[in-house]
Amino acid sequence: DSGVTQTPKHLITATGQRVTLRCSPRSGDLSVYWYQQSLDQGLQFLIQYYNGEERAKGNILERFSAQQFPDLHSELNLSSLELGDSALYFCASSVAGYTDTQYFGPGTRLTVL
Amino acid sequence: AQTVTQSQPEMSVQEAETVTLSCTYDTSESDYYLFWYKQPPSRQMILVIRQEAYKQQNATENRFSVNFQKAAKSFSLKISDSQLGDAAMYFCAYRSAETGGTSYGKLTFGQGTILTVHP
């Protein structure tokens, strides 16, 4: 157990819908990262937050957005869902920034029908 | 942009034997970190080992060790005395150690190598 929690574990929804994935970092960690794992794209970095502020952005679609709240939990919002958004979404956390090891949560499996 | 390549889609090993997984990367940076993560069937991403590029000594964690060749941009993982529980997908990952820029904090992953352990 890495100490990073993600809810829900599984999510099944329809095209065009909107979903929210939630992540709670390890106690004491200030940075949260979101990654997407799909069969065709592999593991890809989406976005990073540090202490409530966006720090780095990867190949995140405009339909996707994220935020980190004052209690340091983070949410990833996915809207206008398409079949191709079906993937495993991971949250990771680290103490601070670039020197720290990232620890991953168990992931949320999103299926878009 | 940095890239990470794992040229072995699948590898297999007999229990108690040794296996080496390959990884190469491309970067123009001089300071960075390299990682091996393991993803078992549960899909959890588990850190196996970490290497700082400024350290010449190869990292070791129990049965896991790396061969880090900075000039060749190679970072292989050796698993000794393989166990059934080592069966998983293994990912090599790169992370910049340079502050600033849009890639700050980002992990770049290879495509993964599926390791099968035969009893």
Side-chain angles (χ1 to χ4, degrees):
Chain A
D1 184 0
S2 66
V4 179
T5 60
Q6 289 187 248
T7 56
K9 282 189 177 179
H10 302 277
L11 201 46
I12 301 174
T13 188
T15 54
Q17 295 298 303
R18 172 190 170 93
V19 297
T20 298
L21 313 184
R22 182 187 168 102
C23 167
S24 292
R26 297 185 317 159
S27 177
D29 285 1
L30 299 177
S31 273
V32 168
Y33 311 78
W34 287 96
Y35 293 86
Q36 179 194 59
Q37 185 178 27
S38 62
L39 282 175
D40 54 346
Q41 301 281 350
L43 263 163
Q44 288 207 321
F45 169 74
L46 295 178
I47 197 163
Q48 177 200 1
Y49 280 83
Y50 173 75
N51 204 20
E53 293 191 5
E54 183 184 303
R55 182 60 64 92
K57 217 166 186 176
N59 297 325
I60 187 166
L61 299 172
E62 285 191 14
R63 301 183 285 108
F64 296 1
S65 65
Q67 55 184 324
Q68 186 179 28
F69 295 87
D71 66 352
L72 300 176
H73 91 272
S74 178
E75 294 180 357
L76 179 67
N77 300 297
L78 315 177
S79 61
S80 303
L81 285 168
E82 301 175 0
L83 296 177
D85 297 329
S86 295
L88 187 55
Y89 291 85
F90 285 107
C91 168
S93 73
S94 69
V95 173
Y98 64 99
T99 61
D100 305 308
T101 296
Q102 295 177 28
Y103 294 91
F104 282 73
T108 293
R109 166 72 69 188
L110 173 67
T111 302
V112 183
L113 301 175
Chain B
Q2 296 81 24
T3 58
V4 178
T5 303
Q6 293 178 249
S7 59
Q8 306 154 318
E10 297 183 32
M11 291 285 284
S12 65
V13 64
Q14 290 293 132
E15 199 175 3
E17 297 295 307
T18 296
V19 65
T20 299
L21 308 184
S22 300
C23 172
T24 58
Y25 57 94
D26 188 27
T27 184
S28 58
E29 298 175 335
S30 59
D31 200 11
Y32 48 87
Y33 301 87
L34 296 165
F35 304 85
W36 280 98
Y37 281 87
K38 166 184 175 181
Q39 188 177 40
S42 67
R43 304 297 253 167
Q44 174 80 49
M45 293 289 287
I46 301 165
L47 176 68
V48 175
I49 202 163
R50 160 185 162 138
Q51 174 81 42
E52 289 86 353
Y54 65 85
K55 289 186 177 178
Q56 291 192 340
Q57 186 172 6
N58 289 322
T60 300
E61 286 288 340
N62 301 315
R63 298 182 295 106
F64 299 87
S65 61
V66 298
N67 184 3
F68 173 49
Q69 302 288 328
K70 191 171 184 179
K73 296 180 183 173
S74 169
F75 183 61
S76 61
L77 175 70
K78 185 170 85 171
I79 306 174
S80 304
D81 186 25
S82 297
Q83 300 175 0
L84 294 177
D86 295 333
M89 174 87 90
Y90 286 81
F91 290 95
C92 178
Y94 172 102
R95 184 179 190 181
S96 172
E98 298 183 0
T99 58
T102 58
S103 64
Y104 183 90
K106 162 188 172 181
L107 279 170
T108 300
F109 287 91
Q111 307 92 314
T113 296
I114 298 173
L115 178 66
T116 302
V117 181
H118 298 288

